[in-house]
């Protein structure tokens, strides 16, 4: 049974990526109908995940995986419990309808196959994220969602706005991912494990660690950037440059919920502290109000939905920060309700845009007769966004008010923020439902007509599912939401959700207050929008413009660095390289007190003196060489002396290799230098020569001191002994040097051979190239350069 579950979970994580690879081929064979066929993949995964609900009930968890980097205790592992199943079912369920919608929405697009591939790859990355148990596994899929969302946001890469939005999302969420990685590494160092299932019982240990605040801030940095919390919220509205199916999937039900999922998953480990509660409630509340207010300022329907999504994400973070059982349950109910109604509204807006040619709310009206099915879907989803009875949104709103209705001043402030935020969102929902569909018919760029079955299936079914959740509240609560809450809280949670309207309850009157304020926002929507736009114009800046300024400054800084260091002067490159080498060798020796004691001068034989004299003569000849050719030959004398030392000390193989290297070096240098005049000398000014001499001496002294320091240490013979014992037994070779080069370092030797071969090919091409007469400075003139002709 365990092996079959391991295989099932592995297939769930891998299958979307396999489908992504096949998607372009299927599109080439079937055209837009490939979307319907590819939708079978998430549909099957949805059914398989449903079968795991009973196994994960009551807080139970199924873990599976395999060792990845065993030496560091890192596993490629997954966990299936109530929380991961709630998110995975949402990803696959909504994904089915998004793929069907995409087939109709992008019908005729030349790159639709590529779009399907990107969408399925993102789906796989998101599934891997919510099913991951190891923090390393989670981070891997976290970054995959960043990369695939970049591809999807910038899908229409011919437009500059799409490219900018994709880069902005990549920079913000990618930067947050790096913070998250540091936070995970710190958590592992604090608690000793990479697996979240093992860490969930170490919350007290984590909160008591002095590094807890730093780890918390790093993790929140990753979560806040992914879930568009203030001040990292501005990338999400710009991401609406993506096609509407991307907005419906990534920016309402999946990607932006990644940070919310992470906070829920880490609640048992990092939650419960005053710092956790303060940060999440403050930033969540600020994000809720900011997004809701900014939604009122927009006239583009997708932008209105995008800003309201920011507000909803802030509300979820606020509830997670409160952290009580009711608040966590409310967050999970709201997550499900939001995924259904927001995806439905995005798809409905896509139909409006597709069939009328505009998304501007001030340019739309009277579409209820032309687009009746779209109107029905938008109305049902809008009612859920408002939080009216018989909708999933009503359940979420009642539950969140119950979770915040505690009596202390913090809860009262949180409750007031939630009421105000929900009221503003209700006004936005009323505008989206009423303005485009009711009222006077307005002339649009395209003659409006109802969308196809592929366009309508998604919004209608998602809106209907929102009603179904409210009708089957007890069932959904017991099999899906209660196990998810149990996985977060670490205790058994009994579902108490029920669809009822109790006029006596104060929670009902809080809902009435929300609806009344929402209606007021809708009535004065135009006046509020004008006032907000005037305020924005007076301020003259926002986070989006600050990002542009920061990116511009970064590009200017990079250009300055490039012009400073990449100037094309080889002599300066080499000077910097050798100065850094000398510093890297001498600084540690000086700072750490590692100066070796001077060794006694050895007693040399006459032939050893002879080799030393040869090396010294070669050095002097190199320094006073009257021409380049003499310098090349003199340089080879040094290598010859080194080879003789190898030969005298019993290393004929190394000596032979050194001889070959020196011969080849001299030949290659001579061949290359044929492009220059070999009968001339390279004269340098005195100050340049002194500068280079100091750098050379510093490198020589540093390397010498380093070698002396190493020779003072006892010789570790373990590696030599290993080669002696295994060269015959394992590699079947008696020449240990050859065995090391061919067997133990086979790939390294192959790489060296490849480098030499590549260099040889380049030299051969250089030699066989057309010769050009040399200029006065010894360099061949550049192609196309006009030679000066002296006048008689």
């Amino acid at each position: 049974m365990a092996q079959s579950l391991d295989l099932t979970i592995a297939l769930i994580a891998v299958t979307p990526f396999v489908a992504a690879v096949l998607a372009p081929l299927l599109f080439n064979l079937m055209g837009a109908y490939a979307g319907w066929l590819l939708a079978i993949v998430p549909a099957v995964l949805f059914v398989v995940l449903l079968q795991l609900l009973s196994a994960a009930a009551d807080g139970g968890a199924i873990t599976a995986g395999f060792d990845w980097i065993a030496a560091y205790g890192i596993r490629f592992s997954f966990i299936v419990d109530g929380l991961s199943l709630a998110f995975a079912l949402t990803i696959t369920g909504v994904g089915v309808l998004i793929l069907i919608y995409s087939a109709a929405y992008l019908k005729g697009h030349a790159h639709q196959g590529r779009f399907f591939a990107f969408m399925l790859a993102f789906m796989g990355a998101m599934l891997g994220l919510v099913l991951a148990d190891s923090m390393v596994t989670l981070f891997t899929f976290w970054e995959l969602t960043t990369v695939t969302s970049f591809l999807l946001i910038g899908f229409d890469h011919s437009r500059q706005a799409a490219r900018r939005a994709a880069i902005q999302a990549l920079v913000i969420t990618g930067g947050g991912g790096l913070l998250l990685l540091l936070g995970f590494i710190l958590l592992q160092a604090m608690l000793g494990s990479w697996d979240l299932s093992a860490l969930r019982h170490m919350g007290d240990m984590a909160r008591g660690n002095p590094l807890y605040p730093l780890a918390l801030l790093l993790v929140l940095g990753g979560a806040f950037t992914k879930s568009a919390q203030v001040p990292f919220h501005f990338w999400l509205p710009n991401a609406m440059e993506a096609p509407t199916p991307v907005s419906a999937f990534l920016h309402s039900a999946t990607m932006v919920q990644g940070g919310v999922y992470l906070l829920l998953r880490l609640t048992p480990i990092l939650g419960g502290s005053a710092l956790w509660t303060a940060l999440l409630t403050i930033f969540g509340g600020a994000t809720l109000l900011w997004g809701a207010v900014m939604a009122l300022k927009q006239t583009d329907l997708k932008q209105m939905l995008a800003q309201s999504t920011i507000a909803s994400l802030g509300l979820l973070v606020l509830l997670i920060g409160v952290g009580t059982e009711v608040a966590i349950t409310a967050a999970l109910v709201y997550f499900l309700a939001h995924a259904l109604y927001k995806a439905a509204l995005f798809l409905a807006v896509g139909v409006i845009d597709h069939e009328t040619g505009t998304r501007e709310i001030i340019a739309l009206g009277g579409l209820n007769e032309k687009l009746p099915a779209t109107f029905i879907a938008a109305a049902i989803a809008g009612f859920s966004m408002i939080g009216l009875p018989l909708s999933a949104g009503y359940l979420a709103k009642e539950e969140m008010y119950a979770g915040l209705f505690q009596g202390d001043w913090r809860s009262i402030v949180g409750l007031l923020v939630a009421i105000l935020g929900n009221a503003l969102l209700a006004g936005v929902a009323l505008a989206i439902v009423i303005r485009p569909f009711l009222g006077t018919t307005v002339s649009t760029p395209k003659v409006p007509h109802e969308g196809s079955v592929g366009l309508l299936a998604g919004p209608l079914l998602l809106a209907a599912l929102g009603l179904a959740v409210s009708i089957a509240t007890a069932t959904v609560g017991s099999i899906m939401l209660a196990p998810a809450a149990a996985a977060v809280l670490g205790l058994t949670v009994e579902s108490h959700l029920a669809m009822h309207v109790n006029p006596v309850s104060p929670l009902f009157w809080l809902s009435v207050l929300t609806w009344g304020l929402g209606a007021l926002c809708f009535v004065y929507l135009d006046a509020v929008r004008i006032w907000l736009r005037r305020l924005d114009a007076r301020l003259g800046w926002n986070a989006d413009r600050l990002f542009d300024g920061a990116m511009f400054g970064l590009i200017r800084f990079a250009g300055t660095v490039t012009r400073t260091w990449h100037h094309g002067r080889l002599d300066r490159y080499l000077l910097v390289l050798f100065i850094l080498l000398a510093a890297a060798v001498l600084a540690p020796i000086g700072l750490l007190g590692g100066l070796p004691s001077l060794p006694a001068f050895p007693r040399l034989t006459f032939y050893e003196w002879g080799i030393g004299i040869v090396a010294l003569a070669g050095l002097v000849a190199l320094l006073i060489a009257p021409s380049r050719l003499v310098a090349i030959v003199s340089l080879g004398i040094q290598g010859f002396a080194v080879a003789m030392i190898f030969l005298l000390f019993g290393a004929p193989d190394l000596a032979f290799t050194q001889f070959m290297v020196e011969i080849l070096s001299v030949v290659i240098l001579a061949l290359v230098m044929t492009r220059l005049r070999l009968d001339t000398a390279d004269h340098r000014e005195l100050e340049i020569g002194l500068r280079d001499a100091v750098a050379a001496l510093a490198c020589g002294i540093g390397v010498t001191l380093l070698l002396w320091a190493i020779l003072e240490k006892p010789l570790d013979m373990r590696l030599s002994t290993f080669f002696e014992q295994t060269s015959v037994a394992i590699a079947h070779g008696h020449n240990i040097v050859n065995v090391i080069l061919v067997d133990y370092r086979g790939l390294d030797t192959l790489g060296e051979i490849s480098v030499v071969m590549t260099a040889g090919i380049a030299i051969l091409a250089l030699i066989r190239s057309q010769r050009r007469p040399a200029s006065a400075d010894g360099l061949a003139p550049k192609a196309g350069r006009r030679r000066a002709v002296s006048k008689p």
Side-chain angles (χ1 to χ4, degrees), residues 761-783:
I761 294 173
I763 293 167
L764 180 62
L766 180 64
I767 294 172
R768 297 186 63 182
S769 62
Q770 183 179 1
R771 293 178 177 270
R772 297 185 179 89
S775 61
D777 59 359
L779 295 172
K782 294 182 180 180

Side-chain angles (χ1 to χ4, degrees), residues 351-352 355-356 365-376 436-438 441-444 446-452 456:
V351 176
I352 295 173
E355 303 303 334
T356 66
L367 295 178
N368 61 315
E369 296 181 357
K370 302 292 184 179
L371 283 70
T374 306
F375 173 56
I376 293 172
F437 293 101
L438 303 179
T441 302
V442 179
S443 177
T444 56
K446 294 170 60 177
V447 178
H449 59 83
E450 191 58 275
S452 63
L456 294 176

Side-chain angles (χ1 to χ4, degrees), residues 582 585-590 594-599 697-713:
V585 176
L586 291 173
I589 293 176
L595 287 173
S597 57
L598 292 178
L697 286 173
C699 289
I701 293 172
V703 172
T704 302
L705 291 175
L706 179 63
L707 291 175
W708 277 349
I710 293 173
L711 291 174
E712 283 185 344
K713 305 297 180 182

